[in-house]
Amino acid sequence: MSLDRTDLDRIEVRGLRARGRHGALPAERELGQEFVVDVSLGLDTRPAAETDDLSRTVDYGTLAGRLVAAVEADPVDLIETLADRLAKICLEDPAVAEAEVTVHKPSAPVPHPFTDVAVKIRRSRP
């Protein structure tokens, strides 16, 4: 039995921290800064639950490592681009039907008091 998108289970990783050199300003590229990533994955977890088998779901520890490596890798100007990169990594797992990714940039160069700047995207398989 196949699930429709409204019936998907969720696996979430929140507050994943990594240092990157993303940003449009030269100082952001030179100094780098911390980025915080939240992901919410939509998938059917029943096969894993029925068999108690990690290979039938998402190994969130492995996924976290891949996401951190992507944040630390090749700099981009926009966190929109970074969020898209991270969503593609999430969707590489065949169990994942959709991924919602939020990239927080708490040290963004905003000349006013603020708590957070974030971009949230949702991507899914066709």
Side-chain angles (χ1 to χ4, degrees):
M1 176 168 92
S2 173
L3 294 177
D4 71 26
R5 300 248 187 250
T6 60
D7 291 334
L8 291 173
D9 301 321
R10 309 304 294 182
I11 292 178
E12 298 184 348
V13 177
R14 298 195 178 276
L16 186 64
R17 298 179 185 283
R19 190 159 183 85
R21 296 181 177 272
H22 310 289
L25 301 177
E28 293 178 292
R29 295 289 181 105
E30 182 180 326
L31 301 172
Q33 61 191 291
E34 183 178 67
F35 293 84
V36 181
V37 176
D38 303 323
V39 297
S40 179
L41 309 176
L43 68 156
D44 182 358
T45 63
R46 290 178 296 181
E50 291 167 357
T51 61
D52 198 31
D53 183 353
L54 178 60
S55 71
R56 303 201 59 196
T57 189
V58 174
D59 180 339
Y60 48 79
T62 299
L63 175 63
R66 294 182 67 218
L67 296 173
V68 165
V71 171
E72 293 173 344
D74 304 324
V76 295
D77 287 346
L78 303 176
I79 57 175
E80 290 87 337
T81 306
L82 179 58
D84 189 67
R85 175 189 292 172
L86 300 176
K88 287 175 181 171
I89 290 169
C90 293
L91 290 170
E92 287 175 359
D93 188 313
V96 177
E98 70 178 26
E100 183 176 275
V101 175
T102 305
V103 176
H104 303 266
K105 190 174 179 179
S107 299
V110 175
H112 304 283
F114 73 100
T115 301
D116 192 20
V117 170
V119 169
K120 181 183 291 191
I121 65 167
R122 182 174 294 157
R123 300 288 186 265
S124 60
R125 297 187 185 284

